[in-house]
Amino acid sequence: MELLLAPRSSSLLEPLPENFRVTLDNERVRVSCVSLHPGQTTGVMALAGPRLWTALDTGKLDMTSVMDETHKTLDVSPGSLYAEESKTDTMIINIGQETVALVLTELK
């Protein structure tokens, strides 16, 4: 897969909150996982460019853009995808009743 092998740039991504576990980090992409229990938050994350969130569980999340205080409520199920393009400071809160695991794929 070209995405995982060929370098595109040397851009650095901001560090993720401590509750994230990085599973792959190379010149092109960083992939990380987080599990959020009911009521738990990711904390504020400074996210750069294009990224894709993939849900591994069923649940309900509140995704807040800290910059403009907009909220998006997401009803997710295994395999649900949510793409974002622009730089933003984001916080996700599990507002459901079940633990939700997410995979974050960030392009560099």
Side-chain angles (χ1 to χ4, degrees):
M1 290 180 48
E2 181 183 342
L3 178 66
L4 301 176
L5 299 176
R8 186 172 89 176
S9 75
S10 60
S11 66
L12 297 175
L13 298 174
E14 295 289 328
L16 291 167
E18 290 182 13
N19 53 349
F20 279 78
R21 180 176 46 91
V22 175
T23 58
L24 174 67
D25 192 357
N26 64 24
E27 296 84 12
R28 300 268 311 197
V29 66
R30 175 173 68 185
V31 179
S32 56
C33 301
V34 64
S35 289
L36 298 173
H37 300 290
Q40 188 177 12
T41 177
T42 58
V44 176
M45 304 172 287
L47 299 173
R51 61 198 163 277
L52 180 68
W53 294 94
T54 306
L56 302 180
D57 300 299
T58 299
K60 190 171 209 160
L61 304 171
D62 176 82
M63 186 175 281
T64 301
S65 171
V66 177
M67 295 173 158
D68 60 11
E69 298 183 13
T70 57
H71 296 264
K72 293 177 187 170
T73 299
L74 304 174
D75 290 306
V76 299
S77 58
S80 294
L81 302 173
Y82 181 73
E84 296 179 295
E85 287 290 326
S86 59
K87 180 178 180 174
T88 186
D89 290 347
T90 299
M91 181 172 62
I92 299 174
I93 302 170
N94 182 348
I95 58 174
Q97 301 299 314
E98 303 293 330
T99 299
V100 176
L102 300 168
V103 175
L104 171 61
T105 304
E106 301 170 275
L107 298 181
K108 295 184 180 180

